Amino acid sequence: MMANSQPTHARLRIDRPLVLGLALTFLASMGTGSITLGIFFLTESALGYGRTENYALATALGLIYIVGAAGIGPALQRIFTKYLSTRTVGLIVLVIIGLTSPLPAVLSDAEGAPPAWSIWLVVGVFALATGCLWPIVEAYISGGRREANLRSATGLFNIVWACSVVLAMWLIAPYAEQRPMMVLFWVGLAHILSAGVLIPLPAHPPRHLDDHPHEVDARYEPLLRVTRVLLPVSYLFISSLGPTIPAVLGMLGVGLTWKAPAFSTWLIARLGVFCAMHVWHGWHGRWWVPLLGGGVLIIGFAMTVLSPRLGVLGLPAVFAGLAAFGCGSGLLYVASLYYGMEVGGSNVQDGGRHEAAIGLGYAGGPICGLLAVALVGADSPNLDVAMISIVSVIGALSVVIGLLKAHHFTRTRSRRSIE
């Protein structure tokens, strides 16, 4: 009996840092879903924003996010760690988000409309702060892990944050029409609770377990180069769709209350892909994953945006398009994160590169939207076609660039091995 009890106990032991990291991920992702994806439903309701204003807001969000994501790694390495721990920096960031997010609700007038500047301020602070936050969270999730342990941790991370974002879209629904700014109250609360979850974690994320030589499949590095190009492309499409979808759903007759839940179709599809890729590992090292992901993403995007042109088929087409879009984006996200963490060092700087790539897409998508508006006009019936054309050309060029980078890397490594 005694001899068998120890292994059983070991199998049942809880990975406390992972559990805390996932709890932090869930709470913080509710805010990310509500602001990064949901803010456009709120601004449409509270401020009457159309596509042009929402494209401009989304552009600011993306550009500021890049600054936070790209800067947090070097800042921690050169400045903060001399005076503050990584955990302390994370706590400061979470508290700042928690205190500033409710500002538009506090300043709203009797009809529930906030000053426009307060929305822009909250989005700017949130973008900078979350750009700093997510590389830290990812480092806590993946640090000290390799191979199967790393795959399990990153798979659970993807599933947890994706579930939270879906929930955020549905929580927006009861408030969207009458009290849209109330959503920002529970965004703030979620981040304050996140700070409480972060406190028990170590002062700094653990690094990879490098006691033994770590070798990765030869295909992983070229695949990382391809997915590092395709990841921002996928977010370029995502950030193009976010400011566009309120108008698209409106043309299809979807009421304001149900727009965010309808939009969650692509998030649910992406969650399904995350779950499948977590359970089935046969996709590792496979080139069809990024190629299929990119193709399905473009098709789903076009179906979604052009659905109002399809008459009675418009509503089924928008849901089918959103589902395809979610599947494509899920394939690209999981592949990029996995190869980045497996080949890289799973530290804050590696997470920062991953998030900065996402930020490029966050900024690029609405810039494409603004360019389409400039070319054909905000009220033009050809606005959707213009936007799809611009985004698709950029996406196709990015795929070619990614493949060329991977081919160059493979040839260079083969030449070195021969020498």
Side-chain angles (χ1 to χ4, degrees):
M1 293 288 290
M2 291 295 292
N4 293 330
S5 64
Q6 288 184 344
T8 302
H9 176 72
R11 285 196 299 269
L12 295 175
R13 191 172 62 183
I14 295 174
D15 187 339
R16 187 167 174 268
L18 180 59
V19 171
L20 290 170
L22 293 175
L24 170 60
T25 298
F26 183 84
L27 290 168
S29 294
M30 291 185 68
T32 301
S34 300
I35 292 185
T36 304
L37 296 175
I39 193 68
F40 309 111
F41 301 105
L42 305 181
T43 54
E44 180 192 42
S45 175
L47 299 175
Y49 274 13
R51 292 195 193 189
T52 304
E53 296 90 347
N54 276 337
Y55 284 141
L57 184 62
T59 300
L61 188 154
L63 292 173
I64 297 170
Y65 188 89
I66 294 171
V67 174
I72 188 61
L76 283 170
Q77 200 170 48
R78 299 172 190 172
I79 304 171
F80 292 152
T81 50
K82 294 180 181 179
Y83 311 101
L84 302 170
S85 68
T86 305
R87 179 182 58 202
T88 301
V89 173
L91 287 171
I92 292 171
V93 167
L94 287 167
V95 170
I96 288 172
I97 297 172
L99 295 179
T100 57
S101 293
L103 185 63
V106 173
L107 297 177
S108 292
D109 59 23
E111 297 179 353
W117 65 262
S118 67
I119 293 286
W120 285 77
L121 176 64
V122 165
V123 167
V125 170
F126 184 85
L128 182 64
T130 51
C132 295
L133 174 67
W134 285 111
I136 293 174
V137 175
E138 288 164 8
Y140 274 110
I141 292 289
S142 62
R145 305 177 192 278
R146 282 292 193 192
E147 299 173 347
N149 196 7
L150 176 64
R151 287 193 292 269
S152 177
T154 54
L156 291 171
F157 168 74
N158 291 334
I159 291 169
V160 166
W161 73 253
C163 283
S164 181
V165 171
V166 171
L167 178 61
M169 290 297 101
W170 283 84
L171 287 175
I172 286 173
Y175 302 97
E177 193 162 2
Q178 300 297 329
R179 297 179 296 166
M181 292 301 104
M182 286 297 295
V183 172
L184 300 180
F185 265 117
W186 51 260
V187 169
L189 176 61
H191 284 84
I192 295 297
L193 293 174
S194 299
V197 175
L198 179 58
I199 290 172
L201 286 168
H204 297 284
R207 293 189 62 82
H208 263 334
L209 299 173
D210 291 326
D211 297 335
H212 305 287
H214 175 66
E215 296 182 3
V216 296
D217 189 303
R219 296 169 295 181
Y220 282 16
E221 291 194 49
L223 277 165
L224 173 61
R225 290 170 184 267
V226 170
T227 56
R228 273 277 164 84
V229 173
L230 292 181
L231 181 68
V233 172
S234 73
Y235 273 85
L236 181 144
F237 280 90
I238 291 169
S239 61
S240 298
L241 189 60
T244 304
I245 199 67
V248 169
L249 292 173
M251 286 187 280
L252 292 170
V254 179
L256 193 58
T257 299
W258 291 105
K259 285 184 178 182
F263 186 49
S264 73
T265 300
W266 83 270
L267 301 171
I268 295 169
R270 182 175 65 178
L271 173 59
V273 170
F274 286 175
C275 292
M277 295 177 80
H278 178 59
V279 173
W280 179 65
H281 298 153
W283 59 271
H284 294 157
R286 306 295 183 183
W287 282 95
W288 62 262
V289 173
L291 297 177
L292 178 64
V296 172
L297 185 82
I298 293 173
I299 293 170
F301 180 81
M303 284 181 64
T304 300
V305 176
L306 296 178
S307 58
R309 296 168 176 256
L310 301 179
V312 294
L313 296 177
L315 208 55
V318 77
F319 286 110
L322 286 169
F325 184 81
C327 291
S329 64
L331 287 168
L332 294 177
Y333 183 90
V334 174
S336 178
L337 180 61
Y338 173 72
Y339 294 128
M341 291 301 179
E342 187 65 30
V343 175
S346 287
N347 52 33
V348 174
Q349 204 146 352
D350 288 296
R353 293 189 193 102
H354 174 78
E355 293 298 329
I358 290 174
L360 286 172
Y362 272 145
I367 289 174
C368 290
L370 289 173
L371 179 59
V373 169
L375 289 173
V376 302
D379 298 323
S380 170
N382 295 318
L383 177 60
D384 293 331
V385 175
M387 186 182 65
I388 289 172
S389 300
I390 294 168
V391 174
S392 297
V393 167
I394 294 173
L397 289 174
S398 299
V399 170
V400 173
I401 291 169
L403 291 173
L404 289 174
K405 285 180 66 176
H407 178 66
H408 175 73
F409 173 81
T410 304
R411 286 188 61 186
T412 303
R413 188 172 59 183
S414 300
R415 198 176 298 125
R416 287 175 181 170
S417 63
I418 292 172
E419 292 172 357

